[in-house]
Amino acid sequence: MNYLGALINPPTLRISAAVRVVVDGNSIYSTVGGSAIATLLATKIQSELGVSVTADDKSRSGASWLDMAADGGRVDTSFDASVDAGARNILICGETANSVNTGGFTATVRKGAQAWADCKAYVAARRAATPNLKVVLCGTTPSNLGATWNARVAEFEALAKANYRQCGIHAYVNFRTAASPAFNHDGATDLFNAYAGYWADYWLHL
C-alpha cells in the first residue's frame, strides 16, 4: 500500500557522486527523526545505491515561503557552481504549513493562492541563480489545525498540482491522494495521531 503520496511525473536523474542535493523548508525538513532530511537522504542513497552524494540542509523551523525567499542566498551558495553543474544540482523544497497558519518569522499569514505566489517567486529566484537546477516541490503534510488551515492548504495544493511544470518545477510530491490514506486526513485528530510515526519516514520515498 502506498501510504506516502504520489510523485507526479518524476524527472529522470542519474545518481552519481557529482549530484548535490539541497533541502529547504520548515521544521518537517530540518528536525524529523532528530536529523536533517538532507543528511538522511544522503545516507539512504549511499546504503541503497552505493553512491556518495553531497547533501545540505537549509531548512528552518518556523519558516514560511516568504521567509525562504527573503533569505534564498543561503540556499544558492550550497550548489556546485562548476561547469555544467546545473544538471547535477537538486533542490527539494516544501513548506506552506507556516505560511497559511502562523505566517512564519514575520507573522504574515497567507491564503492559499498567496502562498502559491510566494512559492513560485522562491523557486524562480533559485532557478535564476542556478541554471538548470532540478526542483522537487513537496506538498504539505496534513495536520489537525482546523477548517481554515485545511482550506488554505487545499487551495495551494490544487494550484501546485495544476501549474508546477509551468513554473519550472520538475516534480511535485502530492501527499493528499486517495492512494495515500496516511496523509489524507486533514482535521481528523485521531487519524493524525495514529499516523504520527510516519512523519519521520515519508520523505525517503521521494
Side-chain angles (χ1 to χ4, degrees):
M1 178 174 63
N2 177 16
Y3 56 79
L4 293 170
L7 180 59
I8 301 174
N9 296 322
T12 299
L13 175 69
R14 178 178 296 174
I15 298 295
S16 73
V19 169
R20 181 178 291 270
V21 178
V22 177
V23 179
D24 193 20
N26 53 32
S27 60
I28 292 292
Y29 300 84
S30 63
T31 58
V32 169
S35 299
I37 285 178
T39 300
L40 297 172
L41 278 172
T43 300
K44 183 179 177 66
I45 292 171
Q46 174 67 50
S47 64
E48 295 197 357
L49 301 178
V51 176
S52 177
V53 301
T54 300
D56 293 329
D57 172 61
K58 296 298 180 180
S59 305
R60 292 173 296 172
S61 178
S64 68
W65 283 116
L66 280 176
D67 299 325
M68 291 161 62
D71 201 12
R74 59 199 290 277
V75 174
D76 302 332
T77 56
S78 293
F79 291 118
D80 188 343
S82 61
V83 176
D84 195 33
R88 306 185 190 109
N89 289 321
I90 306 169
L91 171 63
I92 298 175
C93 57
E95 206 296 284
T96 311
N98 295 325
S99 297
V100 302
N101 182 36
T102 64
F105 303 146
T106 61
T108 306
V109 178
R110 310 291 269 170
K111 295 182 179 179
Q114 293 172 320
W116 172 238
D118 298 339
C119 171
K120 290 191 297 181
Y122 166 82
V123 170
R126 305 291 69 74
R127 295 188 70 239
T130 306
N132 299 316
L133 175 68
K134 306 301 182 186
V135 180
V136 177
L137 172 64
C138 297
T140 307
T141 54
S143 185
N144 56 354
L145 295 178
T148 298
W149 188 93
N150 295 335
R152 290 172 179 172
V153 168
E155 183 181 18
F156 177 96
E157 299 299 336
L159 289 168
K161 183 177 180 179
N163 300 288
Y164 74 95
R165 281 193 174 277
Q166 297 94 304
C167 302
I169 297 169
H170 296 79
Y172 165 62
V173 186
N174 181 13
F175 298 118
R176 287 174 166 74
T177 68
S180 305
F183 287 96
N184 194 30
H185 53 73
D186 281 315
T189 302
D190 55 339
L191 290 176
F192 180 83
N193 292 334
Y195 286 107
Y198 290 121
W199 295 166
D201 184 64
Y202 78 89
W203 42 266
L204 288 177
H205 296 259
L206 294 176

